[in-house]
Short mmCIF file of all heavy atoms in Angstrom, two decimals:
data_model
loop_
_atom_site.label_atom_id
_atom_site.label_comp_id
_atom_site.label_asym_id
_atom_site.label_seq_id
_atom_site.Cartn_x
_atom_site.Cartn_y
_atom_site.Cartn_z
N GLY A 362 -8.33 10.34 6.86
CA GLY A 362 -7.70 9.78 5.66
C GLY A 362 -7.33 8.32 5.84
O GLY A 362 -7.55 7.49 4.95
N CYS A 363 -6.80 7.98 7.02
CA CYS A 363 -6.43 6.58 7.28
C CYS A 363 -7.67 5.68 7.29
O CYS A 363 -7.63 4.56 6.78
CB CYS A 363 -5.70 6.46 8.62
SG CYS A 363 -4.05 7.18 8.59
N LEU A 364 -8.77 6.18 7.84
CA LEU A 364 -10.00 5.37 7.88
C LEU A 364 -10.57 5.18 6.47
O LEU A 364 -11.08 4.11 6.13
CB LEU A 364 -11.05 6.02 8.78
CG LEU A 364 -10.74 6.00 10.28
CD1 LEU A 364 -11.74 6.85 11.05
CD2 LEU A 364 -10.76 4.57 10.81
N VAL A 365 -10.49 6.23 5.66
CA VAL A 365 -10.96 6.14 4.27
C VAL A 365 -10.16 5.08 3.53
O VAL A 365 -10.70 4.20 2.87
CB VAL A 365 -10.84 7.52 3.57
CG1 VAL A 365 -10.91 7.39 2.06
CG2 VAL A 365 -11.93 8.47 4.06
N ARG A 366 -8.83 5.15 3.69
CA ARG A 366 -7.95 4.22 3.00
C ARG A 366 -8.17 2.79 3.53
O ARG A 366 -8.28 1.83 2.77
CB ARG A 366 -6.51 4.68 3.20
CG ARG A 366 -5.48 3.89 2.45
CD ARG A 366 -5.79 3.78 0.97
NE ARG A 366 -5.43 4.93 0.19
CZ ARG A 366 -4.22 5.20 -0.27
NH1 ARG A 366 -3.22 4.41 0.03
NH2 ARG A 366 -4.00 6.25 -0.99
N GLU A 367 -8.23 2.67 4.84
CA GLU A 367 -8.40 1.37 5.48
C GLU A 367 -9.73 0.71 5.06
O GLU A 367 -9.79 -0.47 4.81
CB GLU A 367 -8.38 1.58 7.00
CG GLU A 367 -8.20 0.36 7.82
CD GLU A 367 -6.76 -0.15 7.78
OE1 GLU A 367 -5.87 0.54 7.25
OE2 GLU A 367 -6.56 -1.24 8.28
N GLY A 368 -10.79 1.52 5.01
CA GLY A 368 -12.10 0.99 4.69
C GLY A 368 -12.39 0.98 3.19
O GLY A 368 -13.50 0.64 2.77
N GLU A 369 -11.40 1.38 2.38
CA GLU A 369 -11.57 1.46 0.93
C GLU A 369 -12.82 2.26 0.57
O GLU A 369 -13.60 1.87 -0.30
CB GLU A 369 -11.59 0.05 0.31
CG GLU A 369 -10.26 -0.65 0.49
CD GLU A 369 -10.28 -2.10 0.04
OE1 GLU A 369 -11.22 -2.50 -0.66
OE2 GLU A 369 -9.33 -2.83 0.40
N VAL A 370 -13.02 3.36 1.26
CA VAL A 370 -14.17 4.23 1.00
C VAL A 370 -13.82 5.09 -0.23
O VAL A 370 -12.72 5.63 -0.31
CB VAL A 370 -14.44 5.15 2.23
CG1 VAL A 370 -15.66 6.02 2.00
CG2 VAL A 370 -14.61 4.31 3.49
N PRO A 371 -14.73 5.20 -1.20
CA PRO A 371 -14.40 5.92 -2.43
C PRO A 371 -14.42 7.44 -2.27
O PRO A 371 -15.30 8.14 -2.79
CB PRO A 371 -15.48 5.44 -3.42
CG PRO A 371 -16.64 5.07 -2.57
CD PRO A 371 -16.07 4.57 -1.26
N ILE A 372 -13.47 7.95 -1.50
CA ILE A 372 -13.33 9.40 -1.32
C ILE A 372 -11.91 9.77 -1.72
O ILE A 372 -10.95 9.14 -1.26
CB ILE A 372 -13.58 9.79 0.16
CG1 ILE A 372 -15.03 9.51 0.55
CG2 ILE A 372 -13.24 11.26 0.40
CD1 ILE A 372 -15.33 9.70 2.03
N ASP A 373 -11.79 10.78 -2.59
CA ASP A 373 -10.48 11.23 -3.04
C ASP A 373 -9.77 11.93 -1.87
O ASP A 373 -10.34 12.80 -1.22
CB ASP A 373 -10.64 12.19 -4.21
CG ASP A 373 -9.30 12.62 -4.74
OD1 ASP A 373 -8.70 11.86 -5.51
OD2 ASP A 373 -8.84 13.72 -4.35
N LEU A 374 -8.52 11.53 -1.62
CA LEU A 374 -7.81 12.07 -0.46
C LEU A 374 -6.87 13.23 -0.83
O LEU A 374 -6.07 13.67 0.00
CB LEU A 374 -7.04 10.96 0.25
CG LEU A 374 -7.92 9.91 0.95
CD1 LEU A 374 -7.08 8.81 1.58
CD2 LEU A 374 -8.81 10.56 2.02
N GLY A 375 -6.98 13.73 -2.07
CA GLY A 375 -6.11 14.83 -2.51
C GLY A 375 -6.16 16.04 -1.59
O GLY A 375 -5.12 16.57 -1.20
N ASP A 376 -7.37 16.48 -1.22
CA ASP A 376 -7.50 17.65 -0.34
C ASP A 376 -6.99 17.36 1.07
O ASP A 376 -6.51 18.24 1.77
CB ASP A 376 -8.97 18.07 -0.20
CG ASP A 376 -9.53 18.62 -1.51
OD1 ASP A 376 -8.72 18.89 -2.43
OD2 ASP A 376 -10.76 18.77 -1.61
N PHE A 377 -7.11 16.09 1.48
CA PHE A 377 -6.65 15.71 2.82
C PHE A 377 -5.12 15.81 2.87
O PHE A 377 -4.56 16.39 3.79
CB PHE A 377 -7.04 14.25 3.14
CG PHE A 377 -8.50 14.02 3.40
CD1 PHE A 377 -9.46 14.26 2.44
CD2 PHE A 377 -8.92 13.52 4.63
CE1 PHE A 377 -10.81 14.02 2.69
CE2 PHE A 377 -10.26 13.27 4.89
CZ PHE A 377 -11.20 13.52 3.91
N SER A 378 -4.45 15.22 1.85
CA SER A 378 -2.98 15.25 1.90
C SER A 378 -2.48 16.67 1.67
O SER A 378 -1.50 17.08 2.28
CB SER A 378 -2.37 14.25 0.91
OG SER A 378 -2.62 14.63 -0.40
N ALA A 379 -3.17 17.46 0.82
CA ALA A 379 -2.75 18.85 0.60
C ALA A 379 -2.81 19.64 1.91
O ALA A 379 -1.92 20.44 2.21
CB ALA A 379 -3.62 19.50 -0.46
N ALA A 380 -3.86 19.41 2.69
CA ALA A 380 -4.00 20.12 3.96
C ALA A 380 -2.83 19.77 4.88
O ALA A 380 -2.17 20.65 5.44
CB ALA A 380 -5.33 19.76 4.63
N ILE A 381 -2.53 18.48 5.00
CA ILE A 381 -1.46 18.05 5.91
C ILE A 381 -0.10 18.54 5.41
O ILE A 381 0.71 19.04 6.20
CB ILE A 381 -1.50 16.51 6.08
CG1 ILE A 381 -2.75 16.14 6.90
CG2 ILE A 381 -0.23 16.00 6.77
CD1 ILE A 381 -3.05 14.68 6.99
N CYS A 382 0.14 18.44 4.10
CA CYS A 382 1.46 18.87 3.58
C CYS A 382 1.65 20.37 3.69
O CYS A 382 2.77 20.85 3.88
CB CYS A 382 1.63 18.42 2.12
SG CYS A 382 1.74 16.63 1.99
N SER A 383 0.58 21.15 3.56
CA SER A 383 0.72 22.61 3.60
C SER A 383 0.54 23.16 5.01
O SER A 383 0.79 24.34 5.25
CB SER A 383 -0.32 23.25 2.68
OG SER A 383 -1.62 23.02 3.20
N GLY A 384 0.05 22.32 5.92
CA GLY A 384 -0.21 22.80 7.28
C GLY A 384 -1.39 23.75 7.34
O GLY A 384 -1.51 24.56 8.26
N LYS A 385 -2.28 23.66 6.35
CA LYS A 385 -3.47 24.52 6.35
C LYS A 385 -4.72 23.66 6.59
O LYS A 385 -4.73 22.48 6.25
CB LYS A 385 -3.60 25.21 4.99
CG LYS A 385 -2.50 26.22 4.78
CD LYS A 385 -2.77 27.09 3.57
CE LYS A 385 -1.65 28.12 3.44
NZ LYS A 385 -1.18 28.27 2.07
N PRO A 386 -5.77 24.26 7.14
CA PRO A 386 -6.97 23.45 7.41
C PRO A 386 -7.63 22.92 6.14
O PRO A 386 -7.54 23.53 5.09
CB PRO A 386 -7.92 24.42 8.12
CG PRO A 386 -7.15 25.64 8.43
CD PRO A 386 -5.92 25.65 7.59
N HIS A 387 -8.26 21.77 6.26
CA HIS A 387 -9.12 21.26 5.20
C HIS A 387 -10.42 22.06 5.30
O HIS A 387 -11.01 22.12 6.38
CB HIS A 387 -9.38 19.77 5.43
CG HIS A 387 -10.12 19.10 4.33
ND1 HIS A 387 -11.37 19.51 3.93
CD2 HIS A 387 -9.79 18.06 3.52
CE1 HIS A 387 -11.78 18.73 2.93
NE2 HIS A 387 -10.83 17.84 2.66
N PRO A 388 -10.88 22.69 4.21
CA PRO A 388 -12.04 23.59 4.34
C PRO A 388 -13.34 22.90 4.74
O PRO A 388 -14.24 23.55 5.26
CB PRO A 388 -12.16 24.20 2.93
CG PRO A 388 -11.44 23.27 2.02
CD PRO A 388 -10.35 22.64 2.84
N ASP A 389 -13.45 21.59 4.52
CA ASP A 389 -14.74 20.92 4.69
C ASP A 389 -14.80 19.94 5.86
O ASP A 389 -15.75 19.18 5.98
CB ASP A 389 -15.09 20.15 3.41
CG ASP A 389 -15.16 21.06 2.19
OD1 ASP A 389 -15.49 22.25 2.38
OD2 ASP A 389 -14.88 20.58 1.08
N ILE A 390 -13.77 19.92 6.70
CA ILE A 390 -13.79 18.94 7.80
C ILE A 390 -14.06 19.63 9.14
O ILE A 390 -13.40 20.59 9.52
CB ILE A 390 -12.50 18.10 7.82
CG1 ILE A 390 -12.53 17.19 6.58
CG2 ILE A 390 -12.40 17.25 9.10
CD1 ILE A 390 -11.38 16.25 6.44
N TYR A 391 -15.07 19.12 9.83
CA TYR A 391 -15.56 19.69 11.08
C TYR A 391 -15.52 18.62 12.17
O TYR A 391 -15.64 17.44 11.88
CB TYR A 391 -17.02 20.15 10.91
CG TYR A 391 -17.21 21.15 9.82
CD1 TYR A 391 -17.34 20.74 8.49
CD2 TYR A 391 -17.23 22.51 10.10
CE1 TYR A 391 -17.49 21.66 7.47
CE2 TYR A 391 -17.40 23.44 9.09
CZ TYR A 391 -17.53 23.01 7.77
OH TYR A 391 -17.67 23.93 6.77
N VAL A 392 -15.42 19.09 13.41
CA VAL A 392 -15.35 18.16 14.53
C VAL A 392 -16.34 18.60 15.61
O VAL A 392 -16.47 19.80 15.88
CB VAL A 392 -13.91 18.19 15.13
CG1 VAL A 392 -13.82 17.28 16.33
CG2 VAL A 392 -12.89 17.77 14.08
N ALA A 393 -17.05 17.65 16.17
CA ALA A 393 -17.94 17.95 17.30
C ALA A 393 -17.51 17.06 18.46
O ALA A 393 -17.22 15.88 18.27
CB ALA A 393 -19.39 17.68 16.93
N ILE A 394 -17.44 17.64 19.65
CA ILE A 394 -16.91 16.92 20.80
C ILE A 394 -17.87 17.01 21.97
O ILE A 394 -18.48 18.06 22.20
CB ILE A 394 -15.54 17.50 21.19
CG1 ILE A 394 -14.56 17.30 20.03
CG2 ILE A 394 -15.00 16.85 22.47
CD1 ILE A 394 -13.21 17.91 20.22
N GLY A 395 -18.01 15.93 22.70
CA GLY A 395 -18.89 15.99 23.85
C GLY A 395 -18.87 14.70 24.63
O GLY A 395 -17.92 13.91 24.56
N ALA A 396 -19.94 14.51 25.39
CA ALA A 396 -20.03 13.36 26.27
C ALA A 396 -20.66 12.18 25.53
O ALA A 396 -21.62 12.33 24.79
CB ALA A 396 -20.86 13.71 27.49
#
Side-chain angles (χ1 to χ4, degrees):
C363 290
L364 290 172
V365 163
R366 185 53 80 81
E367 195 75 8
E369 296 173 15
V370 182
I372 294 173
D373 182 81
L374 292 177
D376 292 347
F377 288 62
S378 67
I381 290 171
C382 293
S383 66
K385 292 191 178 136
H387 187 301
D389 301 331
I390 291 182
Y391 302 82
V392 178
I394 297 176

